[in-house]
Amino acid sequence: IAVPGYDSLVESIANVCGSGLREGTFLTRSQSAVCGDWWKAPGGEKNTVNRCKCSFLPNATAEHRNLRHGCELFTAWGWTTGNPKLEYYPVRCPRGFQKLVSNAF
């Protein structure tokens, strides 16, 4: 799951944010990881709500605000593990989304 602000740079092998290799990443490498170590917190602080500050992401452009909002939505879910068990099913990717992210990969 790619969530704005939640990359773990220690483990990341595909982060292109701010590298200039892709258009439209909108965040620097360090900004892409402002919440990247939330799961390393001791004791009861080990959840996204207590450990992530999405306000550290920029807010200057519409793109920045959308990315910050994505961070805030994910944070509000209150995850408590960095290795969750998920149930999912594949769906067809909407064409509009494909177009939006086509230059990011």
Side-chain angles (χ1 to χ4, degrees):
I1 298 175
V3 179
Y6 275 88
D7 199 5
S8 176
L9 296 179
V10 174
E11 299 180 35
S12 181
I13 58 171
N15 186 317
V16 297
C17 291
S19 71
L21 298 175
R22 303 286 190 272
E23 291 181 32
T25 62
F26 302 106
L27 298 176
T28 66
R29 184 172 169 82
S30 62
Q31 289 168 338
S32 75
V34 296
C35 300
D37 66 351
W38 69 270
W39 48 272
K40 294 180 181 177
E45 294 294 311
K46 194 178 207 179
N47 64 65
T48 56
V49 173
N50 291 330
R51 291 285 296 159
C52 181
K53 303 295 182 228
C54 297
S55 60
F56 292 157
L57 291 176
N59 199 29
T61 67
E63 292 85 1
H64 287 152
R65 289 186 289 278
N66 283 336
L67 291 168
R68 184 187 283 194
H69 184 64
C71 179
E72 291 166 346
L73 288 173
F74 186 82
T75 297
W77 288 347
W79 289 44
T80 57
T81 178
N83 190 19
K85 292 183 178 172
L86 304 174
E87 293 183 28
Y88 69 94
Y89 60 92
V91 296
R92 176 174 239 119
C93 187
R95 291 190 194 276
F97 185 72
Q98 290 176 11
K99 183 178 179 185
L100 179 69
V101 300
S102 64
N103 291 325
F105 299 98

